[in-house]
């Protein structure tokens, strides 16, 4: 029996500990964020969970005005795609200080909201 | 080939179930042919979510049940907004394999039962639940991020996006089955309610009830069937990552490029051979990206050519003469089948006041999720 590689649990557990993790292939060293059970580059199932620096740049964004019930109290909120240092990307809520507007290539750092669970804890804030 | 089609009115249809909508579309399709309902060998039902919208799982047997058929196999196919196109594709494969002679491919959705925010939530479930939905993504939000990336790279602005909506609303004036039959101006579209910046209300397709059906039979046996003769020239399907952020390019869909290329290759045709398109304009930017990614216009020019009228019904490549998802309406599971119905109407000369002249080949592009599934078909006018 092949062992189950639990990458989602690894990601969620890490976020709950204020960290972002990815998977790193032990044969070709390729990194995936979020982590994947098989290497995106070579297909190997030999991967290790590795902590990624919580910093990146803003690739694109929207401001959500009509939200699902889980996010109704937040509207309007900025949702963006953030490119990490290793060219991996994540989707997340971007929270900027009053007077700061989102911009292409804006430098962001990861933050983690209290009282939330899993991926929904992750926030991106501007590097001050 | 497509031997018959049926299509309900699209819109808020009140208290009615998707089963009843499917029956109406199916009876209309059968009545175009010399077939009776007992000759249907198998049914493919494209539906996103009877579970959420109607509190009904296992919806597929409900179709032969309401059609009064004895034990006819019926299978639900779910591929987000591409469910309908995929039900047609599987119907074609079942006939092409020789296993079945008469297949009913039908799509339906009854969406107006729920409050808007719950419908928004249900549709967002087509995105990646772990990495997108938990982060607060919505369907308009995903396309808004692509619209912003497209504008940044190619200059596709709000006026160009609005021109897609204005064109499709104008086309729908001649489609009595369309949800919206009123003209729209660029100004009104651009100044409507902000949904997900930069997309406004008129950049988005509506919430719709409706059903559409086609009867598929072998082309070789066409002499045995009355009805229309619209030949299936080719079909194709492609998948991509669940999450939008896992793609290299946020200004288009690789799935559209791959599926369109496969459809052209299998048909031994090129974009210049195609006379008109029905593409998946769930959002205005989606139509712009589709006509670029399918190879009809240079990447980045889709907005400008739409603004210039090249894709209007009287332009050199009519796109969404039916009114598209934007104005005809977008009952999720029905949409991909509705596209096939429109192409079949045009190729059989049955499109009435919106009939295009001298058309031989029509092509569809049906999109699921944030382009994670694409289904394309090329149909040809029969003899
Ligand atoms: Zn590897």
């Amino acid at each position: 029996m092949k062992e189950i590689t639990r990458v989602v649990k690894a990601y969620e557990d890490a976020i709950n500990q204020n960290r972002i993790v990815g998977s790193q292939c032990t044969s070709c060293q390729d990194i995936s964020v979020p982590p994947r059970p098989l290497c995106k580059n070579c297909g190997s199932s030999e991967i290790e969970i590795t902590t990624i620096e919580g910093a990146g740049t803003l690739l694109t964004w929207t401001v959500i005005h009509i939200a699902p019930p889980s996010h109704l109290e937040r509207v309007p909120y900025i949702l963006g795609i953030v490119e990490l240092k290793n060219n991996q990307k994540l989707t997340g809520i971007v929270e900027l200080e009053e007077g700061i507007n989102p911009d292409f290539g804006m430098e962001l750092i990861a933050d983690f909201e209290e009282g939330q669970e899993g991926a929904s804890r992750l926030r991106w804030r501007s590097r001050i | 080939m497509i031997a018959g089609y049926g299509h309900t009115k699209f819109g808020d249809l009140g208290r009615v179930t998707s089963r009843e909508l499917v029956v109406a579309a199916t009876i209309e399709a059968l009545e175009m042919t010399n077939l009776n309902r007992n000759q249907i060998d198998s049914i493919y039902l494209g539906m996103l979510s009877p579970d959420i919208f109607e509190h009904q799982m296992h919806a597929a047997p409900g179709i032969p049940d309401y059609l009064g058929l004895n034990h006819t196999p019926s299978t639900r196919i779910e591929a987000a907004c591409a469910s309908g196109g995929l039900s047609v594709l599987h119907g074609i494969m079942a006939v092409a394999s020789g296993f079945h002679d008469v297949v009913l491919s039908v799509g339906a959705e009854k969406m107006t039962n729920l409050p808007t925010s719950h419908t928004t939530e249900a549709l967002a479930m087509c995105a990646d639940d772990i990495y997108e939905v938990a982060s607060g993504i919505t369907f308009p939000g995903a396309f808004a991020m692509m619209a912003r990336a497209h504008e940044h790279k190619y200059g596709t602005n709000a006026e160009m996006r609005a021109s897609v909506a204005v064109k499709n609303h104008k086309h729908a004036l001649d489609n009595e089955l369309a949800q919206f039959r009123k003209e729209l101006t660029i100004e009104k579209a651009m100044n409507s309610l902000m949904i997900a910046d930069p997309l406004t209300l008129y950049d988005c397709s509506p919430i719709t009830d409706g059903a559409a059906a086609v009867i598929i039979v072998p082309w070789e046996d066409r002499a045995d069937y009355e009805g229309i003769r619209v030949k299936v020239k080719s079909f194709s399907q492609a998948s991509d990552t669940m999450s939008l952020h896992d793609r290299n390019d946020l200004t288009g869909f690789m799935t559209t490029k791959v599926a369109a290329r496969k459809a052209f290759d299998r048909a031994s045709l090129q974009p210049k051979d195609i006379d008109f398109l029905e593409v998946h304009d769930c959002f205005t930017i989606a139509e712009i990206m589709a006509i670029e990614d399918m190879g009809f216009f240079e990447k980045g020019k889709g907005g400008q050519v739409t603004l210039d009228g090249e894709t209007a019904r009287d332009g050199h490549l009519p796109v969404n003469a039916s009114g598209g998802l934007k104005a005809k309406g977008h009952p999720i599971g029905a949409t991909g089948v509705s596209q096939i119905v429109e192409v079949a109407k045009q190729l059989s000369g049955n499109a009435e006041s919106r009939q295009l002249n001298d058309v031989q080949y029509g092509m569809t592009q049906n999109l699921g999720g944030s382009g994670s599934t694409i289904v394309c078909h090329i149909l040809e006018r029969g003899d």
Side-chain angles (χ1 to χ4, degrees):
Chain A
M1 187 191 73
K2 181 77 184 163
E3 205 174 324
I4 298 166
T5 310
R6 298 178 196 265
V7 292
V8 171
K9 179 168 167 43
Y11 183 83
E12 289 173 341
D13 287 352
I15 291 284
N16 287 337
Q17 297 161 7
N18 297 355
R19 291 186 296 129
I20 298 172
V21 294
S23 51
Q24 184 159 31
C25 177
T26 56
S27 58
C28 80
Q29 310 304 317
D30 196 64
I31 290 176
S32 290
V33 185
R36 288 170 174 269
L38 300 181
C39 173
K40 271 196 290 194
N41 182 47
C42 75
S44 167
S45 60
E46 302 299 319
I47 60 109
E48 285 175 350
I49 298 297
T50 180
T51 298
I52 303 295
E53 188 189 351
T57 57
L58 187 59
L59 272 186
T60 186
W61 71 94
T62 178
V63 184
I64 305 250
H65 292 263
I66 304 293
S70 58
H71 285 71
L72 273 184
E73 80 289 356
R74 287 187 183 278
V75 291
Y77 58 91
I78 303 169
L79 186 81
I81 293 179
V82 179
E83 183 167 19
L84 307 174
K85 293 259 166 84
N86 55 7
N87 298 321
Q88 299 300 295
K89 299 188 278 295
L90 285 172
T91 300
I93 290 180
V94 181
E95 288 185 348
L96 301 176
E97 316 262 310
E98 190 84 7
I100 300 180
N101 293 317
D103 199 7
F104 294 99
M106 171 182 252
E107 293 199 16
L108 299 168
I109 52 172
D111 195 5
F112 300 87
E113 188 170 297
E114 295 305 317
Q116 301 283 323
E117 281 288 314
S120 59
R121 291 193 74 217
L122 180 59
R123 295 285 172 274
W124 294 94
R125 300 191 195 281
S126 59
R127 195 186 274 279
I128 305 165
Chain B
M1 70 171 192
I2 309 295
Y5 55 75
H7 197 294
T8 68
K9 169 78 179 167
F10 278 6
D12 181 344
L13 302 181
R15 177 57 186 152
V16 67
T17 63
S18 53
R19 275 182 265 183
E20 295 164 279
L21 300 177
V22 167
V23 169
T26 301
I27 297 302
E28 183 190 344
L30 285 169
E31 284 178 351
M32 288 186 79
T33 70
N34 57 339
L35 290 158
N36 70 60
R37 59 203 163 87
N38 294 302
Q39 289 171 273
I40 297 171
D41 293 319
S42 192
I43 300 167
Y44 292 93
L45 169 67
M47 279 192 100
L48 170 67
S49 190
D51 356 334
I52 292 175
F53 294 128
E54 300 180 86
H55 204 261
Q56 180 66 65
M57 286 210 226
H58 205 193
I63 307 310
D65 179 3
Y66 265 38
L67 285 171
L69 301 177
N70 285 325
H71 317 303
T72 305
S74 182
T75 307
R76 172 177 155 202
I77 291 180
E78 188 270 300
C81 307
S83 302
L86 203 53
S87 79
V88 175
L89 186 152
H90 280 275
I92 292 166
M93 287 207 292
V95 170
S97 75
F99 198 78
H100 290 310
D101 285 328
V102 179
V103 165
L104 169 67
S105 284
V106 62
E109 213 77 51
K110 177 71 182 87
M111 300 177 71
T112 60
N113 296 353
L114 297 181
T116 301
S117 105
H118 286 73
T119 304
T120 302
E121 181 181 37
L123 296 177
M125 286 167 73
C126 299
D128 190 319
D129 189 62
I130 311 293
Y131 300 112
E132 294 187 309
V133 178
S135 303
I137 207 168
T138 63
F139 217 55
F143 282 84
M145 290 193 285
M146 298 191 79
R148 191 180 302 280
H150 204 281
E151 180 160 5
H152 183 59
K153 186 164 181 184
Y154 299 113
T156 306
N157 58 29
E159 185 186 17
M160 294 173 187
R161 290 191 296 268
S163 72
V164 174
V166 168
K167 167 182 69 74
N168 291 348
H169 272 256
K170 190 171 181 198
H171 288 173
L173 291 174
D174 285 310
N175 186 350
E176 62 179 17
L177 300 177
Q179 183 166 7
F180 297 128
R181 302 185 69 199
K182 54 182 188 213
E183 275 214 69
L184 179 68
T185 62
I186 293 264
E187 294 70 32
K188 187 176 179 193
M190 286 174 66
N191 294 314
S192 64
L193 180 73
M194 191 60 79
I195 302 290
D197 191 21
L199 300 184
T200 67
L201 182 64
Y202 282 103
D203 285 304
C204 308
S205 55
I207 291 164
T208 312
D209 306 327
V214 290
I215 305 286
I216 302 162
V217 299
W219 172 253
E220 295 73 28
D221 301 340
R222 60 194 176 280
D224 299 340
Y225 297 101
E226 291 170 15
I228 58 162
R229 284 183 186 171
V230 172
K231 189 176 187 180
V232 177
K233 197 71 182 157
S234 69
F235 55 83
S236 62
Q237 180 189 356
S239 309
D240 208 336
T241 58
M242 289 289 287
S243 290
L244 185 59
H245 61 233
D246 276 329
R247 321 264 176 82
N248 288 326
D249 181 13
L250 297 174
T251 64
F253 294 122
M254 268 310 292
T255 33
T256 302
K257 293 180 189 173
V258 169
R261 178 45 50 203
K262 280 187 190 170
F264 289 129
D265 287 351
R266 287 171 183 168
S268 300
L269 294 171
Q270 296 178 334
K272 67 175 170 56
D273 299 316
I274 306 296
D275 299 302
F276 66 103
L277 308 176
E278 286 286 315
V279 304
H280 198 94
D281 58 326
C282 51
F283 300 95
T284 51
I285 185 64
E287 177 171 319
I288 291 168
M289 295 190 297
I291 60 177
E292 297 169 350
D293 294 338
M294 292 170 84
F296 292 99
F297 297 98
E298 190 186 328
K299 190 70 199 169
K301 298 279 197 280
Q304 187 63 51
V305 298
T306 306
L307 189 61
D308 293 344
E310 291 193 41
T311 58
R313 217 166 66 205
D314 57 0
H316 90 265
L317 180 70
V319 177
N320 288 332
S322 65
L325 285 59
K326 177 72 203 74
K328 182 182 59 181
H330 182 24
I332 309 287
T335 284
V337 185
S338 173
Q339 293 179 323
I340 298 290
V341 170
E342 176 67 15
V343 173
K345 282 182 181 176
Q346 294 287 355
L347 292 176
S348 60
N350 289 318
E352 299 175 337
S353 59
R354 63 181 187 284
Q355 181 65 48
L356 303 167
N357 294 324
D358 300 323
V359 283
Q360 186 179 4
Y361 295 109
M363 185 169 183
T364 63
Q365 178 247 18
N366 186 200
L367 175 152
S370 53
S372 310
T373 296
I374 296 283
V375 178
C376 288
H377 288 89
I378 298 176
L379 304 184
E380 181 181 9
R381 185 177 61 201
D383 43 34

